[in-house]
Amino acid sequence: MPANQQILLDNRPQGEATVANFKLVTTQTPALADNQVLVRHHYLSLDPYMRGRMNDSKSYAASQPLGEVMIGGTVGEVVESKHPKFQAGDKVVGMGGWQEYSVVDAGQPGALRKVDTTHVPLSHYLGAVGMPGVTAWYGLVKIINPKAGDTVVISAATGAVGSAFGALAKARGCRAVGIAGGPDKCKYAVEELGFDACIDYKVHKDMYSLAKALKEACPSGIDGYFENVGGMILDAVLLRMNAFGRIAVCGMIAGYDGQPLPLANPALILVNRLKVEGFIVSEHMEVWPEALTELGTLVGTGKLRPRETIAQGIASAPEAFLGLLKGKNFGKQLVKLI
């Protein structure tokens, strides 16, 4: 059986996460039991939620256990199968973790899903046509629930979730406004992703400055907001929300190092009768087929052109992950393992 390089969570971060929290080890892949499948991973997905899992604190998901392979989505190819529904050569997506190979109990519902790479590149099943894309779909369709002509805003607009959100919003006749870091990301949001406008939060020192830019980009106010960041950005958006606006809370990357993120004007939730709803996309598996069909069509027809930042080799995963938390990636952050 092949040797398997893995990255474990070695110790918990004290404040900001560092490379020293991780450990690279090499093991042998075990022999397969009945109904198990051996998958060679081609790409590993890096996502902001992983930072929350590293903490030993109450979060919406169980903490990542110490000394075990870091959690993560993967796409790859079946190398060997003892399950009747999978055979060598099948392209699959699953949660193989930060390692080169995984042994999967393929009989478990949702553990492994076959994918078609005819029109959609394999790597996109970790981004636009995967968990991040469905995340964008759920927040937009089920929580914001916009009608044509509504103005919707998303923070982290050029990431894996944001890029899908832009295409989905435009398909519903919305005015889509992004918030991103730096002129290059904002240019990409407007020119390639189809956003109507994009605001560079890095040029704004406080929420009032950012709210002024939002007023210019959203002359009719904001009907729906998809939150990935929190902090000053959420404070600025709240100043511009319309009455009966909807806010889908997906992430709070500004607070992942453990410090609380206070809200400046929570009374605005009451004044504007806002609906604020947090969600975890894995709790809504019933919508995945519908969402993935629409996302696959958007990619296949060129209406969604997701960008990827690709690190090479499993050993590069910790540095790439820490870069993602600081916004150094452009589009979906992946690690290529083959």
Side-chain angles (χ1 to χ4, degrees):
M1 300 299 277
N4 182 22
Q5 287 197 301
Q6 306 173 312
I7 289 183
L8 317 180
L9 181 63
D10 188 56
N11 54 80
R12 300 207 186 278
Q14 308 299 316
E16 201 172 300
T18 70
V19 175
N21 299 137
F22 303 97
K23 183 179 183 186
L24 178 67
V25 299
T26 304
T27 61
Q28 290 301 119
T29 53
L32 296 185
D34 284 346
N35 289 328
Q36 287 187 330
V37 172
L38 177 65
V39 180
R40 173 74 167 103
H41 302 153
H42 289 205
Y43 292 94
L44 161 67
S45 173
L46 298 178
D47 300 278
Y49 76 83
M50 297 168 174
R51 177 63 189 85
R53 299 280 181 98
M54 291 170 73
N55 295 338
D56 190 15
S57 60
K58 183 185 182 310
S59 185
Y60 54 77
S63 293
Q64 163 78 36
L66 291 176
E68 291 191 15
V69 176
M70 273 292 289
I71 187 172
T74 48
V75 286
E77 188 173 333
V78 174
V79 182
E80 188 189 343
S81 173
K82 291 200 170 180
H83 190 284
K85 286 197 177 146
F86 293 91
Q87 51 192 338
D90 285 348
K91 299 290 193 293
V92 290
V93 58
M95 291 293 285
W98 294 27
Q99 55 183 341
E100 294 173 321
Y101 291 86
S102 61
V103 173
V104 184
D105 289 316
Q108 285 187 324
L112 212 55
R113 182 167 59 87
K114 276 192 247 192
V115 292
D116 180 359
T117 55
T118 316
H119 302 292
V120 176
L122 183 61
S123 59
H124 284 9
Y125 286 105
L126 290 176
V129 194
M131 181 272 289
V134 181
T135 299
W137 190 96
Y138 189 90
L140 179 70
V141 175
K142 296 297 185 182
I143 297 176
I144 294 172
N145 187 22
K147 56 186 188 301
D150 278 1
T151 295
V152 295
V153 176
I154 186 167
S155 52
T158 60
V161 176
S163 51
F165 182 91
L168 292 164
K170 291 312 291 178
R172 283 159 178 76
C174 297
R175 177 172 176 80
V177 175
I179 302 172
D184 291 347
K185 287 184 178 180
C186 287
K187 186 169 185 264
Y188 165 67
V190 173
E191 293 182 3
E192 301 238 355
L193 294 176
F195 279 89
D196 294 287
C198 186
I199 296 163
D200 178 3
Y201 71 84
K202 290 187 173 176
V203 303
H204 299 284
K205 294 288 177 275
D206 58 42
M207 65 174 169
Y208 298 108
S209 171
L210 184 54
K212 187 166 178 273
L214 280 164
K215 188 175 188 177
E216 289 166 17
C218 309
S220 306
I222 299 170
D223 301 297
Y225 176 52
F226 191 110
E227 179 61 287
N228 289 309
V229 178
M232 177 187 96
I233 293 179
L234 177 55
D235 287 330
V237 170
L238 281 172
L239 291 168
R240 299 264 65 93
M241 289 296 295
N242 288 332
F244 305 104
R246 289 82 62 199
I247 299 178
V249 183
C250 170
M252 286 274 169
I253 199 168
Y256 280 173
D257 289 339
Q259 293 304 311
L261 283 182
L263 264 181
N265 293 299
L268 290 169
I269 297 170
L270 169 60
V271 172
N272 288 320
R273 286 85 81 207
L274 301 178
K275 172 178 153 185
V276 182
E277 184 175 335
F279 72 101
I280 309 301
V281 74
S282 57
E283 294 174 351
H284 303 281
M285 296 310 292
E286 73 285 351
V287 307
W288 282 55
E290 182 187 351
L292 289 169
T293 300
E294 181 177 355
L295 291 157
T297 303
L298 287 170
V299 169
T301 56
K303 288 186 177 137
L304 170 51
R305 295 200 293 274
R307 268 178 71 164
E308 297 171 331
T309 298
I310 297 176
Q312 296 289 334
I314 192 70
S316 71
E319 283 280 10
F321 174 63
L322 298 175
L324 163 78
L325 295 178
K326 290 190 157 56
K328 290 182 182 171
N329 60 303
F330 207 127
K332 173 73 201 167
Q333 179 67 58
L334 298 168
V335 183
K336 192 168 195 275
L337 301 174
I338 200 162

